[in-house]
């Protein structure tokens, strides 16, 4: 009757890691910089768990007697996107980053995409999604051509107005792109980006869909499936693992994710709950929205008691992140950062976890908890024995 969860607060990085400068992210510190920008964070529940003991964060007391085990994990994989971060949490380390296209995709590839989908294309450059839709949305609606763009991440994004191109056709086109983007052109994700509205007031809709490359190694999810452990997904985690051994209910807002976590804990007697909480990244980090990010942190803090009230018995819960997305820097892209680890549950001792050398330690801990550890098959070192009372 064991239950465990990893709750990934997408983009909630906690500052420097040794190779940060190599990624052009020196100075990025998502939590710390947001705290400084708002004159210090007042997050009493996260402070009580020990967030201020993970690293020094203005406003959070480091000297509290925490109720959770706390520390940080450093990224080992090459890359700083959601796929890379979630895969590493689950034990798959990438030696080479996914390919990116800062100057757009090869014309030959896009011509083949246009031939197979029977529509032309616009854009083909790195751009903000909201900006390129505002710029090219009217021409897209007039011509029916796809809006194709990328970012600093390894993504091929296809935007279409829901009244101009039906969702089914958009999703089919993205599946075609996924088939094309393999081998030397393999990208981490193809993303369908539907939008609605009128020129000058376009808005992206919540019917985004990701088409990810399959994990290149054995993941925590694979090992739990082999051991017969039930798995519940919340948020886009199924997309990040190409649906392999995880199904998920998607959540357009953090509040939706929190509601589904509560429901899962109310209804799930045994198994693993894997969650992506999206808005720190999608809504606030990518848009450099410091006030929104700050409000999101306060909402997270207010929700923590509702999470704690549902924990019982041998429950093991890990709160963490997959990368940074510092809204205070000029960049609107992800940042290479360490991530916090807060581990809680009725039997968890509030010890210091220190600085872990890889995100994979979290997946290794959950694997050992369920008796599904497979030495030699995955990266990471479990810290279960150090926290379990």
């Amino acid at each position: 009757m064991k239950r465990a969860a990893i709750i990934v607060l997408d983009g909630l990085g906690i500052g420097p890691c040794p190779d940060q400068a190599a990624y052009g992210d020196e100075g990025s510190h998502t939590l710390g910089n947001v705290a400084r920008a708002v004159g210090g964070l007042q997050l009493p529940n996260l402070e009580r768990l020990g967030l201020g003991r993970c690293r020094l964060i203005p406003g959070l007391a480091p000297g509290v007697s925490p109720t959770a085990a706390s520390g940080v994990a450093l990224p080992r994989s090459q890359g700083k996107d959601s796929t890379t971060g979630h895969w590493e949490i689950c034990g798959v380390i990438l030696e080479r980053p996914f390919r990116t296209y800062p100057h757009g995709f090869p014309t030959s590839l896009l011509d083949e995409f246009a031939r197979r989908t029977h529509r032309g294309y616009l854009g083909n450059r790195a751009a903000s999604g909201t900006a390129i839709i505002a710029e090219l949305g009217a021409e897209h609606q007039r011509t029916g051509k796809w809006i194709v763009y990328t970012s600093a991440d390894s993504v091929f994004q296809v935007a279409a107005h829901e009244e101009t191109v039906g969702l089914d056709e958009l999703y089919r086109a993205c599946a075609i792109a996924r088939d094309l983007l393999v081998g030397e052109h393999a990208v981490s994700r193809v993303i369908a980006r539907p939008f609605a509205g009128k020129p000058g007031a376009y808005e992206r809709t919540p019917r985004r869909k990701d088409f990810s490359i399959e994990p290149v190694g054995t993941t925590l999810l694979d090992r739990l499936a082999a051991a017969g452990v039930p798995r519940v997904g919340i948020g886009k985690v199924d997309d990040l693992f190409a649906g392999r051994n995880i199904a998920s209910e998607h959540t357009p807002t953090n509040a939706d994710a929190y509601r589904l976590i509560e429901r899962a804990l109310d209804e799930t007697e045994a198994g693993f709950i894997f969650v992506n909480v999206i808005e720190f990244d999608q809504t606030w980090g990518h848009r450099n929205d410091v006030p929104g990010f700050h409000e999101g942190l306060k909402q997270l803090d207010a929700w923590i008691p509702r999470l704690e009230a549902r924990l019982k018995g041998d429950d093991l819960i890990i709160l963490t992140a997959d990368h940074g997305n510092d809204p205070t820097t000029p960049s609107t892209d992800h940042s290479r950062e360490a991530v916090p680890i807060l581990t809680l549950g009725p039997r968890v001792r509030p010890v210091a976890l220190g600085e872990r050398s890889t995100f994979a330690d979290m997946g290794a801990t959950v694997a050992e908890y369920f008796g599904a550890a497979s030495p030699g098959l995955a990266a990471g070192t479990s810290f279960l024995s150090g926290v379990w009372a």
Side-chain angles (χ1 to χ4, degrees):
M1 303 299 290
K2 287 186 171 183
R3 303 191 307 179
I6 295 179
I7 300 172
V8 181
L9 305 165
D10 202 318
L12 202 71
I14 198 165
C17 54
D19 58 357
Q20 192 175 51
Y23 286 79
D25 292 325
E26 197 166 22
S28 291
H29 189 326
T30 301
L31 274 169
N33 286 344
V34 169
R36 281 182 277 273
V38 301
L41 295 175
Q42 302 298 313
L43 305 171
N45 293 307
L46 288 164
E47 181 179 66
R48 173 174 49 79
L49 291 182
L51 184 58
R53 293 169 62 91
C54 295
R55 279 193 173 160
L56 292 176
I57 304 294
L60 300 183
V64 300
S65 296
T67 57
S70 57
V72 300
L74 303 177
R76 185 190 296 177
S77 286
Q78 299 298 304
K80 56 177 182 177
D81 59 90
S82 291
T83 301
T84 301
H86 284 73
W87 284 12
E88 182 170 344
I89 289 169
C90 289
V92 174
I93 306 294
L94 292 180
E95 301 299 333
R96 291 182 299 174
F98 292 114
R99 185 169 180 177
T100 58
Y101 290 86
H103 305 296
F105 298 94
T107 301
S108 58
L109 189 151
L110 282 181
D111 287 345
E112 181 63 14
F113 173 68
R115 185 187 71 80
R116 293 195 191 186
T117 61
H118 309 293
R119 291 183 183 272
Y121 58 87
L122 306 168
N124 189 29
R125 61 179 183 269
S128 157
T130 52
I132 201 167
I133 288 168
E135 176 190 347
L136 299 177
E139 184 178 356
H140 154 73
Q141 288 201 276
R142 179 176 57 82
T143 64
K145 295 179 180 180
W146 306 112
I147 300 174
V148 176
Y149 64 104
T150 187
S151 72
D153 294 331
S154 179
V155 291
F156 182 99
Q157 302 188 83
V158 185
H161 195 287
E162 291 188 358
E163 294 180 4
T164 302
V165 181
L167 283 172
D168 288 345
E169 184 181 353
L170 173 59
Y171 295 159
R172 283 196 301 273
C174 288
I176 289 169
R178 178 71 278 170
D179 289 340
L180 289 171
L181 291 159
V182 294
E184 66 170 313
H185 294 305
V187 296
S188 170
R189 286 179 290 163
V190 175
I191 306 177
R193 290 287 196 177
F195 64 99
K198 303 294 183 183
Y202 288 128
E203 291 186 351
R204 293 198 294 204
T205 73
R207 287 170 284 279
R208 159 186 172 164
K209 185 174 175 62
D210 292 33
F211 298 75
S212 293
I213 194 168
E214 277 217 14
V216 296
T218 301
T219 72
L220 169 66
L221 298 170
D222 298 332
R223 288 188 285 153
L224 295 180
V229 177
R231 298 155 318 286
V232 176
I234 296 171
K236 65 180 183 180
V237 289
D238 58 343
D239 284 344
L240 297 173
F241 289 81
R244 198 168 87 191
N245 287 316
I246 188 73
S248 185
E249 184 170 348
H250 285 214
T251 52
T253 68
N254 286 4
D256 290 319
Y258 302 151
R259 175 178 54 82
L260 292 184
I261 294 168
E262 291 176 25
R263 187 179 75 184
L265 289 171
D266 289 341
E267 298 177 357
T268 303
E269 294 185 352
F272 174 59
I273 303 167
F274 195 21
V275 186
N276 176 275
V277 178
I278 199 169
E279 286 196 283
F280 292 112
D281 181 72
Q282 176 177 279
T283 304
W284 305 310
H286 283 305
R287 298 176 184 178
N288 284 350
D289 182 354
V290 174
F293 205 109
H294 184 211
E295 182 61 30
L297 287 171
K298 291 190 287 185
Q299 291 169 0
L300 170 64
D301 189 75
W303 173 73
I304 290 296
R306 297 180 64 86
L307 170 65
E308 293 175 302
R310 286 168 167 80
L311 303 186
K312 57 188 179 183
D314 289 345
D315 286 353
L316 176 72
I317 308 294
I318 298 174
L319 294 166
T320 188
D322 52 347
H323 51 71
N325 198 331
D326 189 336
T328 72
T329 64
S331 169
T332 59
D333 294 315
H334 298 155
S335 45
R336 179 79 165 180
E337 294 186 42
V339 300
I341 307 174
L342 291 173
T343 304
L344 55 152
R347 291 187 57 186
V348 172
R349 296 186 295 117
V351 299
L353 295 170
E355 190 172 84
R356 317 296 298 190
S357 64
T358 171
F359 299 177
D361 287 3
M362 291 179 275
T365 300
V366 170
E368 182 182 0
Y369 171 82
F370 282 113
S374 302
L377 288 181
T381 301
S382 171
F383 50 78
L384 184 67
S385 63
V387 303
W388 206 243

